[in-house]
Amino acid sequence: MERELHDRLDDLMREPHPLYARARAAQGLVHVPELAAWLVARDEDVREVLRRTEEFSSANALRPDVMPSPAALAVLAGGFGAGPVVVTSDGELHQRLRAPLVRALSPARVAATVPYARERAAALVDGFAKDGGVELMAAYARRLPGDVIGRIVGLDPADVPLVVHGGHRAEELLFRPLPEAEQIAAAQDVVAMQHVLDRCARDRYTCPRADLCTEIVASVSEPGHAELPLEQRHEAVAHLQNLLIAGHLTTTALIGTTLLHLLGHREQWELLREQPELIPAAVEEAVRHDGPLQGFRRVTTRPVTLAGTELPAGAELFVAFGAANRDALRHPRPDTFDITRSAPARHLGFGFGAHACVGAQLAREQLRITVEEFTRRLPGLRLADGHPVTMRPTMIHRSPEELHLTWPAD
Ligand code: HEM
């Protein structure tokens, strides 16, 4: 029974658009048993939920699809990270946790990171440009965002692969039904990542630097101790882990879907080669049409009515940014991928309101750099024959499982 539900959930996650279309057309809200939530699918309703933060709490925003086994939980208990995080907090606590992130990811700070991101993107492409073919997710998409966010946080570059791996393993542990031994191994990888983050936090408490780790540590602690107290170590690691996972898995996913859709619509790829000034609009269209974060949860704090449906206190909602982004009342021809749309940024792919994405500009820059690099250096890029694309079963990092690309070798 449990297994059947997971299989149905996998199917739904790989291809959610038919369900979204039904929910947008329905009277009121639709309850979806696979998601164990009311689906909010229309642009207007999604905006309303995101505006009414006192009635629709973020406390369950990241509720896992799978509860880890007791043995995996015991491994996690040996790690760090018991502390509030921005994405699941409300009100004043949320504002306190969000403030250092907004500062550290300001337009000026992001602009200062662009040369490094460009250098890393070029170096990764150098690594396979002569080969005539590549599996993009492993060789590029899982690498650039980790390097970039790692630099902003202030991680030692040698630690970035372990931290990136830990982020992917945390996602698997909480959102995929894994066998027991795999759960334990995943939990060990997560704890290894947390120890690296803890080391960084403790170091920045005594030796501050101009990086995001220092800002986060300062925001959770008081100066004057010989070393960062244990409770604040937990808080800093929770905060850092949340930011890192929010920062790299999403961007990795968007690199994959953007290239998938651009190469699947050859004329739009050719248009970008001729008119690179359209690249920012193409990135927005990729986020609108098939963005990584299809939706996050909310829970009602009191009885409320939404779209004519009465909900009791404690009702779970799945707020589907991905469904709202295909609402014909907001986006004409919503199912068509079209990089020449007149108002490309009016989508909800980076959220809206109090919890709107703090890293949107950083993600946009990495995508702009990526598409510029690929259109310029590999103009003959194509989807490789014989590798049908399947989407990963996830609502939070929607992307191809693998993306095999090919081009005429020099
Ligand atoms: C393609 C890339 C990305 C997409 C599609 C994306 C999407 C989103 C969305 C939809 C939300 C709103 C969640 C909600 O309302 O509950 C959000 C929040 C957030 N994002 Fe992003 N994001 C991306 C990249 C990034 C990056 C690069 C960072 C950090 C460097 C980041 C950090 C965050 C954080 C910390 C929040 C929580 C903000 C809050 O709760 O106040 N994201 N993101």
Side-chain angles (χ1 to χ4, degrees), residues 50 58 61 86-87 94 98 101 105 149 242-243 246-247 250-251 254 287 292-293 296 298 321 348-351 354-360 362-363 366:
L50 298 177
S58 283
V86 62
V87 73
H94 170 246
R98 188 174 159 99
L101 306 184
L105 294 163
I149 188 72
N242 179 243
L243 173 81
T250 44
T251 313
L254 184 59
V287 180
L293 229 172
F296 260 9
R298 295 290 192 268
F321 312 114
L348 292 169
F350 288 114
H355 285 271
C357 181
V358 291
L362 183 64
Q366 292 182 74

Side-chain angles (χ1 to χ4, degrees), residues 44 75 153 167 277 285 318 359 382-383:
E44 192 189 346
V75 174
V153 166
E277 64 278 11
E285 178 63 350
F318 188 82
R382 300 194 163 275
L383 299 175

Side-chain angles (χ1 to χ4, degrees), residues 154-196:
L155 296 178
D156 181 335
D159 288 331
V160 167
L162 188 149
V163 169
V164 167
H165 180 68
H168 287 281
R169 298 291 270 163
E171 187 209 27
E172 282 173 30
L173 184 61
L174 299 176
F175 293 95
R176 304 298 310 149
L178 302 178
E180 169 99 32
E182 263 302 289
Q183 289 190 39
I184 292 170
Q188 285 163 343
D189 292 344
V190 172
V191 169
M193 165 184 68
Q194 292 171 344
H195 280 285
V196 171

